[in-house]
Amino acid sequence: MERTLIYNIHQLLGVTDNDSPQNLNPLAGKNLRNLKVLEDAWLEITDGLISDFGVLEDLNKEQLNRANKVIDAQRGVLGPSWCDSHTHLVFAQPREEEFVMRILGKSYEEIAAAGGGILNSAKKVQQAAEELLLESAYRRLNEIMAMGTGAVEIKSGYGLTPESELKMLRVIRSLKDKAPIPIKSTFLGAHAIPAEYKSSPEAYVDLVIEKMLPEVADQGLADYIDVFCDRGFFTPQQTDRILEAGLKRGLKAKIHANELDYSGGVQVGVKHHAVSVDHLECTGEDEIQSLLNGSTIPTLLPQTAFFLNIEYPPARKIIDAGLPVALASDYNPGSSPSGNMFFTVALACIHMKMLPEEAINAATINGAHAMEIQDIAGSIQKGRAANFWLTEPISSYNFLPYSFGRTPLKSIFINGNTFSTI
Ligand code: NIG
Ligand code: FE
C-alpha cells in the first residue's frame, strides 16, 4: 500500500462527506458561500485516493508511522482541483492577429462577420492533421493541469464540416484515453454558420442534425450537445431544433447563450433541461426567472468578458436571486486564450463581486455539477481521487484572488502523484 501524509496545511479547502448537500445539488444563493475549511490540517493519500484528513491536533503517531512518505506543506493552502466545465482547447492555431485588430478598433462581431473569428479557426482545423491537433491539445491539457485543473469539458466546433467535427471529437476521445483526469466531450457543430451557408443557414442546421449528429451519436463521440445561440450566430428556433434532435440521440445540452445579446438562449436551454447555459453576459429579469423555474446551471466565463472588454455577467444578481453559479475558463483561441482557473476566480471576485468562498465553490463543486461528475470530483472527500493543488505558504485563501495573475502554486497532485509537465 502506498501511503502519503501531508501535514502542516494552513487551510484545507472544500471538504465534504457523503451527506454534504453539495454532492446532490449545486450550491445556490446564500449557500454558495459555504466553503468548509479546516485550519491547521493534514491529509492522507492511500493508493491514489484521499483516505483521511483532519486537524493537526488529532493527528496520531500511528498515522504518521504508517505513511511511506511524509510531506511538510509548510503552511500552504490545499484546495480541490479546479473543475473547468467549458473549454475549446482543441484548436490548430492561435489568433493574435485578431487581438491586434481589436486593439485597433474592430469588434469581435465585426471580425467574425468578415470571416475571421470562429470561421478563421475552422479553416485551420480543417487543414490540420489529426495527430498534430492531438499533440497541441495534449500540450494545452498539461498546461491547465499544471495550473490546478483536475477535470475539464472540451468542445468541438472548429470543424464545421462533418469530417472535421468528427476529427475534433476523435481528438477529444484520444485525450480522454491519455489523460489521468475526467474529461467530458461536447459536440458543437452549431458554433458558427460557414460562409457557404451564409444565405441558407437552415441548410447548415439540417446538416448538423441530419448528417453530423447521427454519426457523433452512433460513434459515441460526445457526452453533450452545444449551440452558440446568439445574435449573428444561431437563433433560438434553430437552437430549439438542434437541442431536441440531440436529446433524441441521448445528448443533453450545455449551450452558449446571451454573450452578445438578450438572445433567448437561456430560455431555450432551460426549456430543454440543459445541464448548463454558459456566458450570460446579457442576463436580465426574464433570464433569471427562467433559470429559477428549472435546474439548469448558469455558468459564467469572466475571462471572456475581460479579454473582449465586454460587460461581465451580473453574478451578484444571479446568486442573490437564489441561483447557483459555476465558473469556467472558456479556454479558446478567440475570446479567452488562457485556461488559468486561478485567474478566472480572481476576475470573478474583482469584477463580479463574488466572495472568494463563492468563487472557489463555483470553480470546483459547482463546475463538477456542470459536468455531472459531482460524485467523483470538486471536493476533498474520503474515497475520492487525490486531485488537488497546494500553494506556497500564504496568509489565507483570500490571498489567491487578491494576488491575481500570480498563481502561487507549490505542487499539483493528480491521483495522489505529484504532477509535472516535464
Ligand atoms: O465561448 N462564443 C462562442 N464561442 C467561443 C469563442 C470562439 C472563438 O472566438 O473562437 C466562446 O467565447
Ligand atoms: Fe465557449
Side-chain angles (χ1 to χ4, degrees), residues 70-111:
V70 177
I71 298 172
D72 181 357
Q74 298 175 335
R75 298 197 54 75
V77 168
L78 190 155
S81 294
W82 304 120
C83 294
D84 190 351
S85 62
H86 181 139
T87 80
H88 311 244
L89 64 73
V90 178
F91 57 87
Q93 299 283 331
R95 305 211 305 259
E96 305 99 297
E97 66 287 355
E98 294 180 5
F99 170 65
V100 176
M101 282 162 81
R102 281 205 317 281
I103 295 171
L104 291 170
K106 287 256 183 298
S107 74
Y108 178 77
E109 283 180 273
E110 282 167 343
I111 294 167

Side-chain angles (χ1 to χ4, degrees), residues 86 88 155 256 279 301 330:
H86 181 139
H88 311 244
K155 299 170 192 298
H256 284 74
H279 271 294
L301 316 167
D330 197 16

Side-chain angles (χ1 to χ4, degrees), residues 297-319:
I297 303 172
T299 296
L300 312 182
L301 316 167
Q303 289 192 170
T304 307
F306 170 79
F307 189 69
L308 296 183
N309 216 351
I310 59 176
E311 281 283 314
Y312 284 82
R316 268 291 32 110
K317 267 197 195 153
I318 297 173
I319 299 164

Side-chain angles (χ1 to χ4, degrees), residues 242-261:
I242 297 168
L243 297 192
E244 197 169 313
L247 271 180
K248 280 198 187 127
R249 294 272 181 178
L251 297 184
K252 290 193 201 169
K254 272 172 77 64
I255 70 166
H256 284 74
N258 296 50
E259 174 184 359
L260 308 170
D261 202 358

